[in-house]
Amino acid sequence: MKLYYDPITVNCRKVVAGLDLIGASYDEEQLNYFGGDHKQPAFTKINPNAELPALVDGDLELWESNAILVYASEKLGNKSVYPDDPKIRADITRWLLWESSKWFAACYTYLVENVVKPILDDKPDNAVLAEHAPTFHNRASVLEARLEGRDWLCADHATIADIAVAAPMHLHAVQKLPLEDYPNIRAWMSRVEALPCWQKSDPVPHIPPELLAKLA
Ligand SMILES: N[C@@H](CCC(=O)N[C@@H](CS)C(=O)NCC(=O)O)C(=O)O
């Protein structure tokens, strides 16, 4: 398997951490997201959406980060991080879909305003953040309720669902995600952050110092 990715992006961090949790080894090709490598024909012939990451395994060209996690789990036969009990699989599928259809967007506005814009020498737009806040809180409340009395989302240990749902929050401090009212999310995120796969996929060492300085 060969992974095309840039370690600084949300969905690439998700896949790098997830493949490690799964125990999958792979070749890699790093692309430069801010340099626009993902928009070049060499990559868009793999992913016509011009989005990172993508995984190639023989004649399979796979995009969508959550599909990559499911594929690698099944290929490796890892039934710990992707249990084969139909109800647990359905539950994991539900959280993967929720992440990509609702949670990613809920967190992404904070990433754009508080991280990407400063990197591009622009200022966060507080009006955009204020308008978006009810959407974030609506979705965070769903996750907060799910985590009541649970250490992990779908099992008594970390699964690919935890990695997928944590990814959009991966820079939550600099993203300035408003997590004050969500003790269950904060405690769960601390557990995710203690996982070796999460620590090894930290994007910060890959961010050029001159860009990092703009976030200080
Ligand atoms: N649903 C896709 C989203 C992929 C995505 O949005 N990737 C971002 C990086 S995290 C990207 O490459 N965006 C293209 C761009 O900003 O030009 C997935 O989960 O793989």
Side-chain angles (χ1 to χ4, degrees):
M1 299 195 288
K2 185 169 181 182
L3 182 67
Y4 294 78
Y5 75 112
D6 180 330
I8 70 171
T9 78
V10 174
N11 287 298
C12 295
R13 203 270 173 89
K14 179 202 290 179
V15 164
V16 170
L19 290 175
D20 190 2
L21 186 76
I22 292 161
S25 55
Y26 53 89
D27 297 325
E28 59 177 52
E29 182 165 328
Q30 287 199 23
L31 287 86
N32 182 338
Y33 172 79
F34 281 111
D37 289 354
H38 58 296
K39 297 177 181 165
Q40 298 306 315
F43 181 72
T44 56
K45 71 175 197 270
I46 298 170
N47 184 356
N49 300 291
E51 291 176 341
L52 295 166
L55 183 85
V56 175
D57 190 14
D59 61 359
L60 175 68
E61 293 179 333
L62 191 60
W63 32 269
E64 285 298 330
S65 54
N66 290 341
I68 292 171
L69 295 186
V70 169
Y71 173 70
S73 300
E74 292 193 318
K75 182 178 165 104
L76 271 284
N78 189 329
K79 294 177 183 168
S80 171
V81 302
Y82 189 50
D84 59 0
D85 177 297
K87 287 186 176 165
I88 300 178
R89 278 213 172 171
D91 192 27
I92 289 177
T93 303
R94 176 248 299 273
W95 286 104
L96 297 183
L97 292 170
W98 182 81
E99 183 273 327
S100 79
S101 64
K102 290 195 162 60
W103 188 232
F104 178 81
C107 299
Y108 191 62
T109 300
Y110 295 89
L111 189 73
V112 169
E113 295 299 326
N114 292 327
V115 180
V116 176
K117 278 191 173 179
I119 281 179
L120 299 176
D121 296 318
D122 199 357
K123 287 201 173 85
D125 186 332
N126 289 328
V128 168
L129 288 167
E131 192 183 358
H132 178 72
T135 300
F136 176 82
H137 290 296
N138 174 280
R139 293 169 189 179
S141 301
V142 173
L143 182 58
E144 177 72 8
R146 169 62 181 219
L147 290 167
E148 181 66 34
R150 311 181 66 104
D151 284 347
W152 303 99
L153 262 182
C154 300
D156 61 3
H157 56 273
T159 68
I160 57 173
D162 295 283
I163 301 300
V165 174
M169 309 171 54
H170 77 145
L171 298 174
H172 57 90
V174 272
Q175 263 171 283
K176 302 194 175 116
L177 285 182
L179 295 173
E180 299 78 17
D181 295 338
Y182 306 108
N184 295 336
I185 296 178
R186 293 200 312 273
W188 163 79
M189 194 64 193
S190 297
R191 284 187 282 277
V192 172
E193 287 169 341
L195 293 171
C197 70
W198 195 261
Q199 293 178 358
K200 282 191 268 168
S201 59
D202 184 357
V204 172
H206 300 279
I207 302 177
E210 65 276 15
L211 298 187
L212 210 51
K214 297 180 184 187
L215 299 175

